[in-house]
């Protein structure tokens, strides 16, 4: 449930506004195809698939520490020690992506595999070698690598001084980013600095649900976010100053958001939800004002005063930082999974103080929405179209990649529900593309293989391929949805389903 409230709390528009959006009904089925330059890909993240948690010089990450010292916090007491062992079987994953006729493969790099303590003073060349092999295999299969620098697995040693809540993190991240550009920049043209900061800041620093389980609610998540935004901008500027001319790549950030609706057309509630989720990170980077959304600044300051403070729990940026962060992305990566209706809470809700209390909205799930295996994930395809339109309006039509979208079940090979979910979401996305309602460049399915789903362990499956977890060889087997996505990627059309 936490995921729906704290994690991926995101955007919205009111129901009436969304329904005004025109879908061009003149397009008949044969005209309905994605443009030739629209990209399809699939995604994974290092901790969820690599395993080899302590092999060949890798240092521990906060997820190694969390799953080892608190197995009870993972539904099936699982961890990423071996996972799908992509450290050994990475070629299987690359081939699977290739078999689907995809254009790109989104991976992430485990920081502590190449810098075991997180510090540039100690480089693990074995780790560099692994990513060289992986990136070369991706390119060798005529796929484009899209690389996330930080997908939640902070080197454990950096947590000793507060991890992302300490502003020294910015310097560590800059040195790490510099190493990545230097060693892989000749081949990697799409960089994503952070994956879903709203999720890891709220769950890791604002609660104890995810690593590093700091639970400094009401303060920790805002400090984390503040340093993420600065670190992102510094890494972006570094690329532009020292690498762009030679490599001509792009640097973006991946944000996660639901779309929000209101039964009572409460625009303020909808906007508040949207700003606290997507706007929290997108406003400083993509808006002209280049700061946190006004509604966050005001509400958190007021709550802080009410709590007896003379300062706001939401840190503020100097003008110089606003300038550095504003415009610091070549594209917006969007992870869309689901949506919510919102209602204003009559009474304050959530821990005191907390992000949830600052937002103070009730999240409503409609009974007609189809549930998945995850308690936060319901199929709301309309939301993906509405959020793309919202982004266009709010941020002056930035370049967007959908960097994740997917469905969980219990591992069926005939995964018809996943196919229905993908089908319905792709139809909405295609409407947006055909009506020119977003500068959308590509779509990424989460995930190519079943993997370690964080606090849900191996209980919930998101893969287009299943993995035999009881065999050391971890054989991958295509599900029915793999065939569906292969058809989409190779024909650029969405096959009909029953
Ligand atoms: C995202 C996350 C992924 C994956 C997915 C499915 O929030 O980036 O790592 O876990 O959710 O829940």
């Amino acid at each position: 449930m936490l995921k729906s409230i704290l994690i991926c709390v995101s955007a919205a528009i009111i129901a009436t506004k969304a329904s005004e959006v025109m879908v061009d009904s003149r397009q008949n089925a044969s005209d309905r195809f994605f443009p030739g330059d629209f990209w399809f890909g699939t995604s994974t993240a290092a901790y969820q698939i690599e395993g080899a948690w302590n092999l060949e010089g890798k240092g521990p990450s906060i997820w190694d520490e969390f799953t080892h010292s608190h197995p009870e916090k993972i539904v099936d007491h699982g961890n990423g020690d071996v996972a799908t062992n992509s450290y050994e079987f990475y070629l299987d994953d690359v081939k699977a992506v290739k078999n689907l006729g995809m254009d790109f493969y989104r991976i992430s790099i485990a920081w502590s595999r190449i810098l075991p303590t997180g510090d540039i003073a100690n480089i693990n060349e074995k780790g560099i070698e692994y990513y060289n092999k992986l990136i070369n295999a991706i390119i060798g299969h005529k796929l484009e690598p899209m690389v996330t620098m930080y997908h939640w697995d902070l080197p454990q040693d950096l947590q000793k001084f507060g991890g992302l809540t300490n502003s020294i993190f910015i310097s560590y991240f800059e040195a790490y980013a510099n190493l990545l550009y230097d060693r892989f920049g000749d081949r990697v043209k799409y960089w994503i600095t952070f994956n879903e900061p709203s999720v890891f800041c709220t769950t890791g620093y604002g609660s104890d649900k995810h690593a590093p389980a700091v639970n400094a609610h009401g303060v920790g998540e805002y400090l984390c976010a503040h340093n993420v935004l600065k670190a992102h901008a510094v890494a972006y500027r570094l690329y532009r100053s020292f690498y762009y001319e030679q490599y001509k790549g792009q640097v973006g950030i991946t944000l996660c958001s639901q779309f929000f609706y209101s039964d009572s057309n409460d625009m303020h509630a909808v906007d508040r939800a949207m700003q606290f989720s997507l706007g929290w990170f997108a406003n400083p980077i993509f808006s002209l004002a280049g700061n946190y959304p006004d509604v966050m600044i005001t509400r958190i300051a007021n709550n802080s005063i009410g709590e007896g403070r003379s300062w706001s729990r939401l840190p503020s940026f100097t003008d110089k930082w606003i300038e550095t962060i504003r415009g610091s992305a070549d594209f917006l990566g969007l992870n869309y999974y689901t949506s919510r209706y919102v209602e204003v809470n009559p009474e304050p809700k959530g821990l005191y103080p907390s992000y949830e209390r600052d937002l103070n909205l009730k999240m409503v799930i409609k009974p007609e929405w189809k549930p998945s295996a995850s308690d936060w994930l319901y199929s709301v395809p309309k939301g993906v179209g509405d959020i793309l339109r919202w982004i266009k309006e709010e941020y002056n039509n930035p370049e967007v990649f959908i960097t994740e979208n997917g469905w969980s079940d219990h591992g069926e090979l005939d995964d018809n529900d996943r196919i229905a979910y993908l089908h319905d979401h792709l139809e909405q996305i295609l409407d947006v593309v055909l009506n020119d309602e977003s500068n959308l460049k590509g779509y990424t399915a989460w995930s190519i293989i079943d993997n370690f789903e964080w606090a849900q362990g191996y209980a919930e499956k998101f893969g287009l391929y299943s993995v035999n977890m009881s065999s050391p060889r971890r054989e991958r087997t295509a599900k029915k949805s793999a065939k569906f996505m292969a058809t989409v990627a190779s024909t650029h059309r969405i096959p009909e389903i029953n």
Side-chain angles (χ1 to χ4, degrees), residues 3 7-8 44-45 48 106 151-152 195-196 199 254 256 335 337 374 376-377 404 446 451-454 460 462:
K3 184 147 189 167
I7 303 198
C8 210
T44 55
Q48 296 178 276
R106 177 181 176 229
H151 201 124
W152 305 7
N195 177 73
E196 297 188 355
V199 178
T254 279
C256 166
N335 290 357
Y337 284 91
S374 309
W376 55 272
L377 174 52
E404 284 181 34
W446 179 271
N451 57 51
F452 178 75
E453 176 56 15
W454 309 110
E460 296 170 12
F462 279 86

Side-chain angles (χ1 to χ4, degrees), residues 4-234:
S4 68
I5 299 168
L6 292 176
I7 303 198
C8 210
V9 179
S10 38
I13 192 173
I14 61 164
T16 45
K17 192 169 174 202
S19 64
E20 284 163 18
V21 172
M22 288 281 295
V23 171
D24 191 344
S25 53
R26 289 164 305 173
Q27 295 145 4
N28 56 45
S30 59
D31 297 332
R32 285 182 59 81
F33 54 85
F34 288 93
D37 59 356
F38 189 92
W39 278 12
F40 291 95
T42 61
S43 182
T44 55
Y47 185 72
Q48 296 178 276
I49 63 162
E50 281 180 4
W53 79 278
N54 60 356
L55 296 188
E56 301 195 314
K58 179 179 170 292
S61 76
I62 54 172
W63 271 92
D64 294 315
E65 166 66 22
F66 181 66
T67 53
H68 293 161
S69 29
H70 292 288
E72 77 286 354
K73 291 197 184 261
I74 312 298
V75 165
D76 57 0
H77 293 197
N79 58 48
D81 286 6
V82 181
T84 60
N85 198 357
S86 293
Y87 190 66
E88 199 174 341
F89 304 125
Y90 65 91
L91 257 185
D92 289 6
D93 304 338
V94 175
K95 282 182 186 158
V97 181
K98 186 64 197 171
N99 282 344
L100 302 194
M102 296 280 170
D103 302 293
F104 65 97
Y105 181 26
R106 177 181 176 229
I107 57 166
S108 85
I109 288 183
W111 186 340
S112 67
R113 192 175 294 291
I114 62 172
L115 297 175
T117 61
D119 189 355
I120 196 69
N122 173 16
I123 300 175
N124 177 30
E125 291 296 338
K126 277 278 176 199
I128 301 266
E129 205 181 289
Y130 168 68
Y131 291 110
N132 270 331
K133 283 192 301 190
L134 174 56
I135 290 165
N136 291 343
I138 294 170
I139 292 171
H141 284 77
K142 304 231 174 336
L143 295 163
E144 191 75 37
M146 182 180 276
V147 177
T148 304
M149 302 176 185
Y150 187 86
H151 201 124
W152 305 7
D153 45 356
L154 183 75
Q156 175 61 27
D157 276 16
L158 300 192
Q159 190 50 41
K160 287 181 182 161
F161 48 76
L164 285 101
T165 58
N166 187 331
S167 59
I168 201 170
F169 169 80
I170 301 160
S171 305
Y172 279 86
F173 188 76
E174 184 181 19
Y176 168 57
N178 191 45
L179 179 66
L180 298 185
Y181 297 148
D182 181 44
R183 299 297 190 94
F184 308 122
D186 56 336
R187 286 150 293 153
V188 174
K189 304 299 169 196
Y190 292 86
W191 293 102
I192 292 169
T193 54
F194 291 92
N195 177 73
E196 297 188 355
S198 64
V199 178
F200 65 73
C201 288
T202 52
T203 53
Y205 292 95
S207 90
D208 59 0
K209 304 288 182 220
H210 280 187
V214 167
N215 204 13
H217 45 83
V219 177
E221 58 275 65
Y222 298 128
L223 282 178
C224 167
H226 209 62
N227 291 325
V228 163
L229 281 161
K230 290 178 175 179
H232 158 81
V234 164

